[in-house]
Amino acid sequence: MSRPGRQAIVIDTDPGQDDAIAILLALASPELEVLAISTVAGNVPLDLTSRNARMVCELAGRPDLPVHAGADRPLLRPLVTAEHVHGKTGLDGCELPVPTMPLQAEHSVDLIIRSVMERPVGSVTLCPLGPLTNVALALQKEPALAQRIGRIVLMGGGFFEGGNITPAAEFNCYVDPHAAAVVFGSGVPITMVPLDCTHQALTSPARIAAIQALGGRIGPAVAGWLAFAERFDEQKYGQQGGPLHDPCVIAWLIKPELFRGRRCNVEIETQSPLTLGMSVIDWWGVTERPRNALVLGEVDAQGLFDLITERLGRLARSLETA
């Protein structure tokens, strides 16, 4: 059972520098009980995302946290990865030791089903930070799952910001649009953190320096990841700083007042070659389609970075005294 007063979550992820920071933020936050981490192919192939997740757990002093490997490819199409953004390892920017903690034998899909079904209805939140393949497979495998998940809080999609892998599609939805369509059509309460929100959460020299100053193992690792990741986005978007995507998912769970959004209908394009993976968000309510997601459109960027810095500092200090 989950501990009283803490929100039980399962993080489904494809680390990725921003995924790694999101995991650290969750592990540093007493409001959250991270039950397990499941991995999926996305930013890099599954063997690397599974390795990276365990490296991050060990960095956080949590080799006890179960890490489960999941889908190594999308439901219906070939895998697309993003080494051009995240580097060949997915976590370029800081070299961490090869993990020694084991990878669990149980598949991520079965982990998700078990974690939700063995706990009270509505008590477990799923936090997908990558392609939605594992979550879609779990919903398809266990028909009762959708009625028992408390909420899905995901990073994915975009509307006014367009796409970041094609003109129309954000990366996570593009990698597995059919899985995204399953999730958004499941009836589970969804909070969606799209590019429209995350593109406001930009790194800066001062924000990276504050994290670097935390010291220990945490500060230099996170600062290195941020510095590596921002160089691609600065060149791509012609701006100072790069967006911090996935930590917004965890931050919304901890401090939702940092965000603003509205309930909308969201549909995922699965047919058109031109707009495959596009998240069609009825922001203005011009259709009668049911509102199936809380779509976050604004974030207090400084508040977000203050929260991340404070929590990572807490984690860094705890590791020094352990």
Side-chain angles (χ1 to χ4, degrees), residues 153-307:
V153 186
L154 64 89
M155 190 277 137
F159 190 53
F160 297 105
E161 284 290 300
N164 62 356
I165 187 69
T166 74
E170 178 273 332
F171 179 79
N172 290 338
C173 290
Y174 179 75
V175 170
D176 200 340
H178 303 92
V182 169
V183 171
F184 278 95
S186 67
V188 177
I190 292 173
T191 296
M192 175 184 183
V193 187
L195 297 179
D196 306 277
C197 180
T198 66
H199 278 185
Q200 300 171 29
L202 297 179
T203 58
S204 70
R207 289 168 178 169
I208 295 177
I211 291 174
Q212 175 76 43
L214 297 176
R217 296 181 296 170
I218 299 294
V222 173
W225 289 331
L226 290 173
F228 180 89
E230 75 172 1
R231 102 270 177 237
F232 174 82
D233 290 303
E234 286 181 335
Q235 182 178 16
K236 178 179 179 180
Y237 296 111
Q239 62 191 15
Q240 184 179 44
L244 197 57
H245 303 289
D246 295 331
C248 290
V249 167
I250 305 301
W252 183 81
L253 291 172
I254 301 167
K255 204 169 184 180
E257 62 267 26
L258 292 174
F259 299 86
R260 293 181 63 186
R262 65 176 68 175
R263 291 191 52 78
C264 303
N265 176 265
V266 181
E267 306 287 343
I268 308 297
E269 176 57 52
T270 61
Q271 301 295 324
S272 167
L274 186 63
T275 58
L276 184 68
M278 180 179 181
S279 52
V280 182
I281 301 172
D282 186 11
W283 185 259
W284 303 115
V286 295
T287 73
E288 295 183 359
R289 295 193 296 265
R291 298 177 180 182
N292 57 349
L294 171 62
V295 180
L296 305 184
E298 298 179 31
V299 60
D300 173 356
Q302 188 57 52
L304 171 70
F305 277 90
D306 288 345
L307 174 66

Side-chain angles (χ1 to χ4, degrees), residues 8-247:
I9 67 172
V10 174
I11 299 175
D12 187 74
T13 180
D14 61 337
Q17 290 88 354
D18 56 329
D19 304 71
I21 298 168
I23 293 169
L24 291 176
L25 178 60
L27 295 179
S29 297
E31 299 91 340
L32 303 178
E33 180 182 7
V34 183
L35 302 177
I37 293 176
S38 66
T39 62
V40 67
N43 286 323
V44 286
L46 183 67
D47 60 336
L48 288 177
T49 63
S50 299
R51 185 200 68 165
N52 291 349
R54 288 177 290 150
M55 289 166 61
V56 174
C57 289
E58 291 186 353
L59 175 66
R62 290 295 308 276
D64 59 301
L65 186 64
V67 176
H68 300 245
D72 64 357
R73 63 179 67 87
L75 295 183
L76 298 176
R77 59 192 304 263
L79 176 64
V80 176
T81 56
E83 289 87 351
H84 62 291
V85 179
H86 298 280
K88 64 181 181 180
T89 70
L91 280 183
D92 284 19
C94 174
E95 187 171 344
L96 296 178
V98 175
T100 59
M101 63 185 286
L103 190 64
Q104 302 297 307
E106 185 181 34
H107 193 280
S108 287
V109 170
D110 297 313
L111 160 75
I112 291 169
I113 293 171
R114 176 175 58 80
S115 297
V116 173
M117 298 299 290
E118 72 182 13
R119 287 173 174 79
V121 174
S123 65
V124 176
T125 296
L126 302 184
C127 299
L129 309 179
L132 290 163
T133 315
N134 287 334
V135 180
L137 287 170
L139 287 165
Q140 291 175 331
K141 184 173 182 178
E142 175 49 77
L145 190 66
Q147 301 302 316
R148 297 186 65 90
I149 298 170
R151 178 173 291 271
I152 295 173
V153 186
L154 64 89
M155 190 277 137
F159 190 53
F160 297 105
E161 284 290 300
N164 62 356
I165 187 69
T166 74
E170 178 273 332
F171 179 79
N172 290 338
C173 290
Y174 179 75
V175 170
D176 200 340
H178 303 92
V182 169
V183 171
F184 278 95
S186 67
V188 177
I190 292 173
T191 296
M192 175 184 183
V193 187
L195 297 179
D196 306 277
C197 180
T198 66
H199 278 185
Q200 300 171 29
L202 297 179
T203 58
S204 70
R207 289 168 178 169
I208 295 177
I211 291 174
Q212 175 76 43
L214 297 176
R217 296 181 296 170
I218 299 294
V222 173
W225 289 331
L226 290 173
F228 180 89
E230 75 172 1
R231 102 270 177 237
F232 174 82
D233 290 303
E234 286 181 335
Q235 182 178 16
K236 178 179 179 180
Y237 296 111
Q239 62 191 15
Q240 184 179 44
L244 197 57
H245 303 289
D246 295 331

